[in-house]
């Protein structure tokens, strides 16, 4: 187990979160891309668009990114046929983005690769341990999302 110098539970959690985030970053860099021309940073856009068509500005809000950054990522996804632009049913002057069949195929490959990686990583965990961790992680993610959408300034 990794030792921390922090004596409070929240302090120890903070140390472990920093460690996990750094390790996930390294793991992401080392993982093969599901498509050689699509940046893995654009994958979350596909996941959101698979749920329902959205405008670029909505996507940017959902992934907590700048609209111009998301717009560039979307352009790449459109250029490669994973996303299509279509008229917004609520405002025909605007456009929404939707996942294509090729985009759905890419999403399935992403999920399959992630699942294989997690199966290997958690091979000695019980199903109950995985479920418990998933619940706690989901709770933390929810709190973090709420924090990001309700505050204008965050401290590290």
């Amino acid at each position: 187990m990794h030792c921390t110098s922090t004596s409070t539970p929240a302090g120890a959690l903070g140390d472990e979160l920093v460690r996990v985030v750094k390790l996930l970053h390294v793991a992401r860099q080392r993982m093969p891309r599901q498509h050689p021309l699509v940046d893995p940073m654009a994958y979350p856009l596909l996941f959101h668009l698979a749920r329902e068509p959205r405008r670029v500005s909505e996507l940017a809000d959902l992934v907590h990114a700048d609209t111009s950054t998301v717009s560039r990522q979307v352009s790449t996804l459109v250029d490669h046929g994973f996303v299509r632009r279509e008229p917004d049913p609520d405002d025909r002057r605007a456009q929404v983005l939707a996942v294509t069949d090729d985009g759905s195929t890419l999403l399935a490959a992403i999920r399959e690769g992630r699942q294989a990686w997690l199966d290997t990583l958690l091979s000695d965990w019980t199903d109950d341990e995985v479920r418990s961790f998933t619940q706690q992680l989901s709770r933390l993610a929810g709190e973090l999302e709420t924090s990001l959408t309700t505050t204008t300034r965050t401290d590290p």
Side-chain angles (χ1 to χ4, degrees):
M1 175 173 258
H2 186 258
C3 296
T4 64
S5 61
T6 308
S7 60
T8 67
L13 174 62
D15 288 351
E16 289 303 315
L17 282 174
V18 167
R19 180 176 168 225
V20 167
V21 167
K22 286 180 180 183
L23 290 169
L24 284 172
H25 179 72
V26 171
R28 177 178 247 177
Q29 289 177 329
R30 291 182 181 177
M31 285 183 186
R33 288 184 177 200
Q34 291 298 326
H35 188 281
L37 301 175
V38 177
D39 182 350
M41 296 302 289
Y43 293 168
L45 304 178
L46 287 171
F47 283 95
H48 285 290
L49 291 174
R51 292 186 192 114
E52 68 181 273
R54 299 177 187 276
R55 291 183 181 189
V56 170
S57 59
E58 290 176 273
L59 274 177
D61 288 343
L62 287 169
V63 298
H64 306 283
D66 186 68
T67 302
S68 63
T69 300
V70 171
S71 183
R72 282 190 302 276
Q73 292 171 327
V74 163
S75 291
T76 300
L77 293 171
V78 169
D79 290 347
H80 295 298
F82 299 119
V83 170
R84 71 178 171 274
R85 299 178 196 277
E86 48 190 47
D88 186 332
D90 298 327
D91 180 356
R92 302 301 270 177
R93 298 168 296 170
Q95 291 183 328
V96 293
L97 305 160
V99 172
T100 64
D101 289 343
D102 286 346
S104 293
T105 300
L106 177 59
L107 273 174
I110 292 166
R111 283 189 174 109
E112 191 176 295
R114 180 181 61 201
Q115 187 63 50
W117 178 68
L118 286 171
D119 286 347
T120 300
L121 190 66
L122 305 176
S123 63
D124 63 343
W125 290 39
T126 67
D127 286 348
D128 285 342
E129 288 172 323
V130 174
R131 275 194 275 292
S132 177
F133 181 68
T134 301
Q135 289 170 346
Q136 296 301 316
L137 190 60
S138 179
R139 182 177 176 190
L140 178 63
E143 295 292 337
L144 183 56
E145 255 182 346
T146 298
S147 166
L148 290 172
T149 57
T150 60
T151 59
T152 56
R153 181 179 171 266
T154 58
D155 294 318

